[in-house]
């Protein structure tokens, strides 16, 4: 596993979408390679940041009422 | 209508109360997810309301076709996306002019690794600004990114909702994230949160 391959698979690694074998190779590479480790931390932080910024919004109460009214006549 | 649902077979009638109870239990609980995705697809609350409403109506009509206990969220999102494509994209007439699969990603990390390798500048960017940046992404990127990074769905689930191969999900997600990072980085430079040079 070289740095280019590691960076290429970084998102899949963060998303837990890799085969156990490839996951192990990436983990080993990250432990031995500080620059890739830094990039891993950066990308992980970015994904957490993204989720936190976007997840706060829910459906307005009025929409729920509207859906119930339309479906069940309430 | 593009997606008329076939009449359920007369041999398996579902009592109305049961149908309602199971729909409330398995479908209505996903209203927040549907709304968030609808809002990012349509770009405004009023169209998002209409899209969710339409999705719920279609889903309720087709409820007999849903296999209970399977992935209701993915099933609903598939209906929502079809409705979006059928109605809104045709109506707004904004055909995508960019071939998204040829957009070259830009690695923000390499720009900031000396000045801010921890990405502290992200923390200064508020919710609205992030949502605006997402809304500027091409729709094929936007839908992939929202399903993955906001709603936490797997590549396989996203592939089945968007009806594209898993490899396409993977590459779009990669590009979408890099493109979004680039936009946020540009904004952070503009606001003076980080020195850098705009991407």
């Amino acid at each position: 596993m070289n740095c280019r391959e590691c960076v290429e698979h970084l998102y899949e690694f963060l998303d837990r979408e890799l085969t156990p074998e490839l996951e192990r190779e990436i983990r080993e590479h990250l432990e031995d390679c500080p620059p890739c480790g830094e990039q891993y931390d950066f990308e992980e932080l970015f994904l957490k940041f993204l989720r936190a910024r976007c997840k706060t919004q829910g459906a307005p109460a009025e929409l729920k009422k509207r859906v119930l009214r339309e479906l069940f006549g309430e | 209508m593009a997606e008329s649902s076939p009449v359920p077979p007369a041999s398996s009638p579902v009592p109305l109360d049961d149908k309602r109870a199971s729909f409330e239990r398995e479908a209505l609980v996903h209203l927040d997810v549907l709304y968030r995705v609808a809002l990012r697809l349509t770009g405004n609350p009023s169209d998002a309301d209409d899209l969710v409403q339409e999705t719920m109506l279609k889903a309720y009509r087709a409820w007999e076709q849903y296999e209970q206990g399977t992935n209701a969220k993915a099933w609903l999102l598939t209906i929502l996306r079809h409705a979006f494509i059928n109605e809104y994209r045709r109506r707004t007439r904004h055909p995508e002019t960019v071939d998204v699969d040829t957009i070259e990603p830009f690695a923000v990390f390499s720009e900031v690794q000396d000045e801010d390798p921890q990405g502290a500048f992200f923390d200064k960017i508020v919710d609205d600004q992030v949502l605006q940046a997402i809304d500027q992404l091409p729709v094929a990127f936007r839908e992939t990114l929202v399903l993955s990074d906001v709603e936490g769905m797997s590549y396989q689930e996203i592939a089945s909702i968007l009806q594209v191969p898993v490899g396409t999900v993977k590459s779009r997600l990669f590009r979408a994230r890099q493109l979004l990072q680039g936009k946020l980085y540009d904004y952070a430079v503009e606001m003076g949160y980080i020195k850098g040079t705009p991407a």
Side-chain angles (χ1 to χ4, degrees):
Chain A
M1 170 77 47
N2 59 36
C3 294
R4 191 184 52 80
E5 288 167 329
C6 177
V7 168
E8 241 173 51
H9 291 297
L10 212 45
Y11 284 138
E12 293 157 76
F13 180 74
L14 280 159
D15 293 332
R16 305 192 140 275
E17 294 274 359
L18 289 175
T19 59
E21 199 179 327
L22 208 47
E23 195 174 303
R24 185 179 45 79
E25 281 184 48
I26 302 260
R27 189 171 298 115
E28 283 170 6
H29 180 88
L30 288 175
E31 279 165 14
D32 296 339
C33 176
C36 284
E38 270 194 0
Q39 182 157 2
Y40 167 83
D41 290 342
F42 177 85
E43 299 296 347
E44 185 186 34
L45 182 135
F46 171 69
L47 295 183
K48 279 188 185 153
F49 153 85
L50 204 53
R51 199 152 299 162
R53 288 289 190 275
C54 300
K55 196 80 190 203
T56 49
Q57 212 156 20
E62 187 46 49
L63 175 62
K64 188 166 186 188
K65 283 188 204 152
R66 194 178 138 192
V67 168
L68 288 173
R69 203 161 51 227
E70 188 76 26
L71 292 180
F72 312 123
E74 286 180 357
Chain B
M1 192 183 297
E3 280 189 343
S4 63
S5 33
V7 179
S11 57
S12 62
V14 180
L16 216 55
D17 281 355
D18 287 1
K19 179 179 176 180
R20 175 176 174 167
S22 65
F23 192 78
E24 286 192 354
R25 193 177 55 239
E26 291 204 50
L28 279 178
V29 292
H30 297 300
L31 205 65
D32 285 344
V33 177
L34 294 178
Y35 182 74
R36 274 195 297 269
V37 174
L39 195 55
R40 296 279 74 78
L41 287 178
T42 61
N44 75 79
S46 155
D47 283 347
D49 278 1
D50 290 348
L51 180 57
V52 171
Q53 172 88 352
E54 190 189 341
T55 301
M56 281 305 189
L57 275 178
K58 284 186 168 158
Y60 192 63
R61 281 193 213 118
W63 192 234
E64 281 79 9
Q65 292 162 33
Y66 166 70
E67 202 179 317
Q68 296 218 6
T70 59
N71 196 339
K73 187 161 81 171
W75 187 75
L76 291 163
L77 284 167
T78 307
I79 296 176
L80 182 136
R81 185 167 174 276
H82 278 155
F84 171 71
I85 290 171
N86 288 342
E87 310 280 338
Y88 296 90
R89 285 178 70 184
R90 192 180 302 153
R91 199 180 68 189
T92 52
R93 297 195 179 278
H94 281 153
E96 207 121 84
T97 47
V98 204
D99 179 1
V100 292
D101 295 316
T102 62
I103 292 176
E104 279 305 314
F106 164 81
V108 166
F109 177 72
S110 57
E111 293 293 315
V112 301
Q113 60 182 335
D114 294 330
E115 187 185 346
D116 185 5
Q118 311 276 311
F121 73 92
F122 285 132
D123 284 336
K124 298 186 180 146
I125 305 177
V126 295
D127 295 19
D128 276 356
Q129 208 56 50
V130 177
L131 295 172
Q132 265 184 42
I134 293 175
D135 290 351
Q136 290 167 12
L137 297 174
V139 73
F141 284 180
R142 214 187 313 150
E143 59 188 8
T144 311
L145 182 120
V146 168
L147 293 176
S148 167
D149 295 346
V150 183
E151 305 306 337
M153 305 190 88
S154 71
Y155 292 1
Q156 187 58 59
E157 284 177 307
I158 299 170
S160 101
I161 292 169
L162 304 183
Q163 290 165 334
V164 294
V166 170
T168 305
V169 172
K170 215 182 287 183
S171 81
R172 286 192 183 165
L173 196 52
F174 186 90
R175 288 154 196 264
R177 285 167 172 171
Q178 300 272 293
L179 205 58
L180 182 63
Q181 273 185 9
K183 286 183 190 295
L184 295 172
Y185 171 74
D186 280 354
Y187 173 77
V189 171
E190 203 179 299
M191 297 301 286
Y193 299 156
I194 186 168
K195 274 191 238 116
T197 46

